[in-house]
Amino acid sequence: MSESNNLPQAISHKKLSYLMLKAQKDSHFSDELSGTEASEKREFEELINNWEASTKRVINELSKRKENLLKDKSPHSLIALGAMEVHLNMALQALIAFNKGADE
């Protein structure tokens, strides 16, 4: 009980951040977490790689067969398809930026 009497009533965010950076991690907890994190990271990377490949195939198909896809489509459908293509390209650019950030 006397230990809790020595605790400060408040702590600044700066001081707390400093203490968190300097605190040593519990090795047992850290090992369990790293195994789980590694597994989740591999799963996420596989998912992203599959998404990237699929997205590139969709964009290629749109480029090759655009005229066939556009037959008998309403103006709204054409706008939607164009917007989808733009968003897919932007998403691929975002993935490239994400991957660059992971390397730094």
Side-chain angles (χ1 to χ4, degrees), residues 35-91:
T36 302
E37 287 176 352
S39 173
E40 288 176 353
K41 186 176 181 179
R42 276 193 308 274
E43 188 177 315
F44 179 72
E45 286 173 354
E46 183 180 334
L47 184 64
I48 287 293
N49 290 337
N50 291 338
W51 173 85
E52 181 181 15
S54 297
T55 300
K56 286 179 178 178
R57 282 197 313 267
V58 168
I59 290 171
N60 285 336
E61 287 299 312
L62 281 172
S63 298
K64 285 193 289 188
R65 300 183 184 158
K66 220 172 212 175
E67 291 176 21
N68 291 338
L69 293 172
L70 303 180
K71 286 182 186 174
D72 304 323
K73 295 291 181 183
S74 71
H76 290 296
S77 294
L78 299 176
I79 291 169
L81 188 64
M84 183 181 83
E85 186 176 4
V86 168
H87 281 84
L88 289 174
N89 280 308
M90 286 190 307

Side-chain angles (χ1 to χ4, degrees), residues 8-17 19:
Q9 292 295 320
I11 188 168
S12 70
H13 184 273
K14 186 176 178 180
K15 176 78 173 177
L16 181 60
S17 295
L19 291 173

